[in-house]
Amino acid sequence: MPTRIPQPEDFNHLPPSLHVSLVYPEVPETVTAILILFHGLGDSEAPFAGFARNINLPGVLAISVRGVSPLPPALLGLPDSYDTGPTKHFHWGDDLTLSPSTGGLDLDPGFSKAEDLVLGKLIRERLVERCGWETNDILLFGFGQGGSLALGLSSKICEGEKVVDVTEGGKATGTAFKGAVSIGGPLPASMIPTLSSREKSRTPVLICHGSSSESIDEDAIDILKKEFIDVREVKWRKHDDSMPKNKDEMLPVMQFFAERLRGW
């Protein structure tokens, strides 16, 4: 199938729980790659559409996705007044469970629903089958829980029984993304394929985190290196895992994007 640039109408009949915001480059006809963005716990797609506009990657169509389930504002410590009006807070998990060790929300609540909607409906049905793109044309970027989803999808996509592995010119397609960036989100154990004889994922991965990260430690990095061929780690000087706030923090992300946009 010839590749064509996705249009807004291509996403009109997505399931109601899968809402996207599209950000085209200045000249839409120049699109040669796609960036899918996943916000953090309790956020929505709008700020990450703004983030995509700000970084303004040349020739890239950005698709900012809303979390697949609403999150009660009370769980974010917000007052009851936030319960009025349209829902503004979303998450990617199958459930809202508390971690027995921390008492906070579990970092791995299961991501089956998000996987089915994002990987199944958005990526495979709309971008690949309908518009003719390949998965190695697609970059993923996520923050916090959204970063965990980006890594999990990059691991899941290499499952042979779920993906038709097409070979063109000796290069397998459909089993890897162009690249994945996670800001402070670890790879969830629930999304690691269980097939023992599987190969490592070929999706290049960048993981960025603070120097005192509560989510990314040596064990989390070791897990990534067991699952992915190419893992780059950036430990910021700041303590927390918040989104990049200055040029120094954003530079490794932009360098990774630039490299991947030049690659396959």
Side-chain angles (χ1 to χ4, degrees), residues 1-2 12 21 66 90 115 163 183 202 214 248 262:
M1 175 190 293
N12 285 347
S21 179
R66 178 186 294 173
F90 300 87
E115 178 190 346
V163 180
I183 308 295
R202 293 180 297 107
E214 296 182 0
D248 287 342
R262 288 195 300 267

Side-chain angles (χ1 to χ4, degrees), residues 183 208 234 236-238 242-254:
I183 308 295
C208 301
V234 172
W236 289 314
R237 280 179 280 189
K238 66 180 180 182
S242 56
M243 282 284 285
K245 291 184 172 65
N246 56 49
K247 181 179 178 181
D248 287 342
E249 291 171 5
M250 194 62 198
L251 182 60
V253 178
M254 295 302 289

Side-chain angles (χ1 to χ4, degrees), residues 12 25 68 83 92 118 127 155-156 165 176 222 225:
N12 285 347
V68 296
D83 278 326
W92 300 102
V118 176
L127 298 179
S155 181
K156 277 285 189 179
D165 193 7
D222 286 343
K225 290 179 177 179

Side-chain angles (χ1 to χ4, degrees), residues 41 69-72 75 91-98 105-106 109 145:
L41 179 74
S69 299
L71 183 70
L75 289 178
H91 70 103
W92 300 102
D94 294 336
D95 202 354
L96 293 171
T97 56
L98 296 179
L105 288 174
D106 195 337
Q145 193 185 63

